[in-house]
Amino acid sequence: KFPKDSQWGFFPSASLGWNVSEESFIKKATGNWLNNLKIRASVGSLGNANISPYQFLETMSLSKTSVLINGNRVPYTEAPSLIPDGITWEKVTTYNLGLDLAVLNNRLNFVGDIYNRYTDDLYTVGPNLPQVLGSSAPKGNFASLKTTGWEASLTWKDNFEVRQSPFNYSVKAMLWDSRSWVTDYYNANGDLTTYY
Protein backbone atom coordinates (compact mmCIF):
# COMPACT_ATOMS: atom_id res chain seq x y z
CA LYS A 1 0.00 0.00 0.00
CA PHE A 2 2.93 2.37 0.60
CA PRO A 3 6.33 2.94 -1.03
CA LYS A 4 9.30 1.26 0.63
CA ASP A 5 10.40 4.42 2.47
CA SER A 6 7.02 4.79 4.24
CA GLN A 7 5.86 1.22 4.89
CA TRP A 8 6.72 1.33 8.59
CA GLY A 9 5.18 3.53 11.26
CA PHE A 10 5.62 4.08 15.00
CA PHE A 11 2.37 4.58 16.92
CA PRO A 12 2.91 4.56 20.72
CA SER A 13 0.30 4.82 23.44
CA ALA A 14 0.20 5.08 27.23
CA SER A 15 -2.45 5.14 29.93
CA LEU A 16 -2.66 5.89 33.66
CA GLY A 17 -5.33 5.15 36.21
CA TRP A 18 -5.85 6.08 39.84
CA ASN A 19 -8.31 3.97 41.81
CA VAL A 20 -9.21 6.64 44.33
CA SER A 21 -11.71 4.42 46.15
CA GLU A 22 -8.87 2.17 47.33
CA GLU A 23 -7.19 5.00 49.23
CA SER A 24 -7.56 4.76 52.99
CA PHE A 25 -8.71 8.38 53.41
CA ILE A 26 -11.55 7.81 50.91
CA LYS A 27 -12.66 4.57 52.59
CA LYS A 28 -12.84 6.34 55.94
CA ALA A 29 -14.82 9.26 54.50
CA THR A 30 -17.33 7.33 52.39
CA GLY A 31 -17.94 4.10 54.28
CA ASN A 32 -19.58 1.31 52.30
CA TRP A 33 -21.67 3.25 49.78
CA LEU A 34 -18.75 4.02 47.42
CA ASN A 35 -17.60 0.85 45.67
CA ASN A 36 -15.41 2.24 42.91
CA LEU A 37 -14.00 5.60 41.92
CA LYS A 38 -11.33 5.59 39.25
CA ILE A 39 -9.79 8.44 37.27
CA ARG A 40 -8.28 7.47 33.91
CA ALA A 41 -6.05 9.29 31.42
CA SER A 42 -4.59 8.05 28.17
CA VAL A 43 -2.87 9.19 25.02
CA GLY A 44 -2.32 7.00 22.01
CA SER A 45 -1.80 7.04 18.28
CA LEU A 46 -2.90 4.66 15.56
CA GLY A 47 -1.91 4.29 11.94
CA ASN A 48 -4.61 3.99 9.31
CA ALA A 49 -3.75 2.28 6.02
CA ASN A 50 -7.29 1.96 4.69
CA ILE A 51 -6.45 2.63 1.03
CA SER A 52 -6.37 0.45 -2.04
CA PRO A 53 -3.05 -1.22 -2.89
CA TYR A 54 -0.56 0.21 -5.39
CA GLN A 55 -1.94 3.76 -5.39
CA PHE A 56 1.64 5.06 -5.45
CA LEU A 57 2.36 3.32 -8.80
CA GLU A 58 1.42 4.39 -12.30
CA THR A 59 -0.90 1.68 -13.57
CA MET A 60 -2.56 1.26 -16.96
CA SER A 61 -6.04 -0.23 -17.08
CA LEU A 62 -7.23 -2.48 -19.91
CA SER A 63 -10.65 -2.16 -21.53
CA LYS A 64 -12.42 -3.17 -24.72
CA THR A 65 -14.03 -0.85 -27.24
CA SER A 66 -17.48 -1.27 -28.73
CA VAL A 67 -15.84 -1.63 -32.16
CA LEU A 68 -15.88 -5.15 -33.62
CA ILE A 69 -13.04 -6.41 -35.81
CA ASN A 70 -13.34 -9.97 -37.09
CA GLY A 71 -16.17 -10.46 -34.60
CA ASN A 72 -14.10 -9.42 -31.55
CA ARG A 73 -14.11 -6.25 -29.49
CA VAL A 74 -10.82 -4.41 -29.76
CA PRO A 75 -8.81 -4.13 -26.51
CA TYR A 76 -7.13 -0.88 -25.60
CA THR A 77 -5.37 0.80 -22.70
CA GLU A 78 -5.25 4.34 -21.36
CA ALA A 79 -2.47 6.54 -20.12
CA PRO A 80 -1.91 6.13 -16.37
CA SER A 81 -3.51 8.65 -14.07
CA LEU A 82 -1.49 11.04 -11.94
CA ILE A 83 -0.02 9.82 -8.68
CA PRO A 84 1.02 11.87 -5.62
CA ASP A 85 4.67 12.38 -4.73
CA GLY A 86 4.33 10.17 -1.64
CA ILE A 87 1.71 8.27 0.33
CA THR A 88 2.05 7.42 3.99
CA TRP A 89 0.01 6.39 7.02
CA GLU A 90 -2.80 8.50 8.37
CA LYS A 91 -1.86 9.14 12.00
CA VAL A 92 -4.69 9.42 14.53
CA THR A 93 -3.73 10.65 18.03
CA THR A 94 -6.32 10.63 20.83
CA TYR A 95 -6.14 12.27 24.26
CA ASN A 96 -8.70 10.87 26.69
CA LEU A 97 -9.78 11.62 30.27
CA GLY A 98 -12.25 9.27 31.96
CA LEU A 99 -14.10 8.61 35.20
CA ASP A 100 -15.56 5.33 36.53
CA LEU A 101 -17.95 5.45 39.47
CA ALA A 102 -19.87 2.64 41.19
CA VAL A 103 -22.05 3.11 44.27
CA LEU A 104 -24.74 1.32 46.30
CA ASN A 105 -23.12 -2.13 46.21
CA ASN A 106 -22.25 -1.73 42.51
CA ARG A 107 -25.90 -1.31 41.57
CA LEU A 108 -25.42 2.17 40.11
CA ASN A 109 -22.50 2.62 37.68
CA PHE A 110 -21.36 5.67 35.78
CA VAL A 111 -18.68 5.76 33.06
CA GLY A 112 -17.71 9.05 31.41
CA ASP A 113 -15.04 10.11 28.93
CA ILE A 114 -13.98 13.31 27.19
CA TYR A 115 -11.50 13.25 24.34
CA ASN A 116 -9.66 15.20 21.67
CA ARG A 117 -8.65 13.37 18.50
CA TYR A 118 -6.24 14.68 15.88
CA THR A 119 -5.87 13.08 12.44
CA ASP A 120 -2.76 14.08 10.50
CA ASP A 121 -1.85 13.18 6.91
CA LEU A 122 -5.50 12.50 6.12
CA TYR A 123 -5.82 10.63 2.83
CA THR A 124 -8.01 12.63 0.45
CA VAL A 125 -8.08 14.34 -2.96
CA GLY A 126 -5.29 16.82 -3.53
CA PRO A 127 -5.18 20.36 -4.96
CA ASN A 128 -7.31 21.41 -7.91
CA LEU A 129 -5.72 20.93 -11.32
CA PRO A 130 -6.44 22.73 -14.61
CA GLN A 131 -9.25 21.17 -16.66
CA VAL A 132 -7.04 21.10 -19.77
CA LEU A 133 -4.75 18.61 -18.04
CA GLY A 134 -7.26 15.86 -18.76
CA SER A 135 -6.69 13.98 -15.53
CA SER A 136 -8.27 14.11 -12.10
CA ALA A 137 -6.29 15.17 -9.05
CA PRO A 138 -4.58 12.26 -7.31
CA LYS A 139 -5.34 11.36 -3.72
CA GLY A 140 -2.67 11.75 -1.06
CA ASN A 141 -2.01 12.84 2.52
CA PHE A 142 -3.32 16.35 2.04
CA ALA A 143 -5.48 17.18 5.08
CA SER A 144 -5.77 17.27 8.86
CA LEU A 145 -8.80 16.82 11.11
CA LYS A 146 -9.65 17.60 14.74
CA THR A 147 -12.48 15.94 16.67
CA THR A 148 -13.63 16.73 20.20
CA GLY A 149 -16.28 14.77 22.00
CA TRP A 150 -17.62 13.16 25.12
CA GLU A 151 -19.60 10.05 26.02
CA ALA A 152 -21.30 8.87 29.18
CA SER A 153 -23.25 5.84 30.34
CA LEU A 154 -25.35 5.20 33.44
CA THR A 155 -26.29 1.68 34.47
CA TRP A 156 -28.62 0.43 37.18
CA LYS A 157 -28.61 -3.28 37.99
CA ASP A 158 -30.38 -5.11 40.77
CA ASN A 159 -32.12 -8.37 41.61
CA PHE A 160 -35.11 -9.57 43.56
CA GLU A 161 -37.15 -12.72 43.97
CA VAL A 162 -40.13 -13.69 41.87
CA ARG A 163 -41.99 -16.73 43.27
CA GLN A 164 -38.91 -17.70 45.26
CA SER A 165 -36.69 -17.55 42.16
CA PRO A 166 -33.97 -14.91 41.65
CA PHE A 167 -34.68 -12.28 39.00
CA ASN A 168 -31.78 -10.15 37.74
CA TYR A 169 -32.20 -7.04 35.59
CA SER A 170 -30.24 -4.04 34.42
CA VAL A 171 -31.07 -0.76 32.69
CA LYS A 172 -28.47 1.25 30.80
CA ALA A 173 -28.61 4.75 29.28
CA MET A 174 -25.91 6.15 27.01
CA LEU A 175 -25.34 9.66 25.68
CA TRP A 176 -22.55 11.04 23.51
CA ASP A 177 -21.66 13.93 21.24
CA SER A 178 -18.73 14.91 19.02
CA ARG A 179 -17.76 17.61 16.58
CA SER A 180 -15.08 17.64 13.88
CA TRP A 181 -13.17 20.41 12.13
CA VAL A 182 -11.00 20.24 9.02
CA THR A 183 -7.91 22.10 10.26
CA ASP A 184 -5.77 21.82 7.13
CA TYR A 185 -6.63 21.09 3.52
CA TYR A 186 -4.29 21.49 0.57
CA ASN A 187 -6.71 23.21 -1.77
CA ALA A 188 -6.26 26.74 -3.04
CA ASN A 189 -10.00 27.28 -3.51
CA GLY A 190 -10.95 26.02 -0.03
CA ASP A 191 -13.72 23.93 -1.57
CA LEU A 192 -14.57 21.02 0.75
CA THR A 193 -17.97 20.05 -0.61
CA THR A 194 -16.66 18.61 -3.88
CA TYR A 195 -13.39 17.05 -2.88
CA TYR A 196 -13.54 15.95 0.75
Side-chain angles (χ1 to χ4, degrees):
K1 294 191 174 185
F2 301 129
K4 287 184 178 180
D5 58 351
S6 59
Q7 288 180 352
W8 296 92
F10 180 63
F11 309 106
S13 62
S15 62
L16 294 172
W18 179 25
N19 199 338
V20 182
S21 56
E22 293 298 314
E23 301 292 341
S24 59
F25 65 91
I26 291 293
K27 289 183 177 180
K28 292 178 181 178
T30 59
N32 295 327
W33 65 269
L34 179 64
N35 305 113
N36 183 39
L37 175 59
K38 181 187 287 186
I39 300 172
R40 298 176 280 104
S42 65
V43 57
S45 59
L46 292 173
N48 182 15
N50 188 21
I51 66 172
S52 301
Y54 308 114
Q55 296 298 304
F56 62 95
L57 296 176
E58 290 183 330
T59 58
M60 301 173 71
S61 59
L62 295 175
S63 301
K64 290 187 177 182
T65 67
S66 58
V67 177
L68 294 176
I69 297 180
N70 296 328
N72 296 317
R73 295 171 61 192
V74 179
Y76 72 97
T77 188
E78 297 177 345
S81 58
L82 297 177
I83 58 172
D85 291 336
I87 298 178
T88 187
W89 297 80
E90 288 183 355
K91 184 177 182 180
V92 183
T93 303
T94 303
Y95 299 86
N96 187 85
L97 185 63
L99 176 69
D100 299 337
L101 177 65
V103 297
L104 305 175
N105 292 324
N106 289 312
R107 288 183 294 176
L108 183 63
N109 289 268
F110 171 82
V111 178
D113 289 271
I114 56 173
Y115 61 88
N116 284 339
R117 181 177 297 128
Y118 301 91
T119 304
D120 297 316
D121 295 323
L122 189 65
Y123 184 74
T124 186
V125 177
N128 296 328
L129 298 175
Q131 295 280 341
V132 295
L133 182 64
S135 179
S136 58
K139 287 188 174 183
N141 304 103
F142 295 123
S144 298
L145 188 70
K146 175 186 176 182
T147 301
T148 63
W150 58 269
E151 51 191 43
S153 68
L154 190 65
T155 305
W156 173 265
K157 54 185 177 180
D158 203 353
N159 61 79
F160 55 87
E161 287 190 1
V162 176
R163 294 185 179 180
Q164 298 180 344
S165 297
F167 180 82
N168 299 301
Y169 73 95
S170 65
V171 179
K172 186 173 187 177
M174 300 180 69
L175 192 64
W176 61 89
D177 188 31
S178 66
R179 187 176 179 187
S180 296
W181 296 266
V182 177
T183 56
D184 184 30
Y185 187 55
Y186 186 26
N187 183 346
N189 295 338
D191 185 3
L192 301 181
T193 58
T194 304
Y195 299 99
Y196 188 71

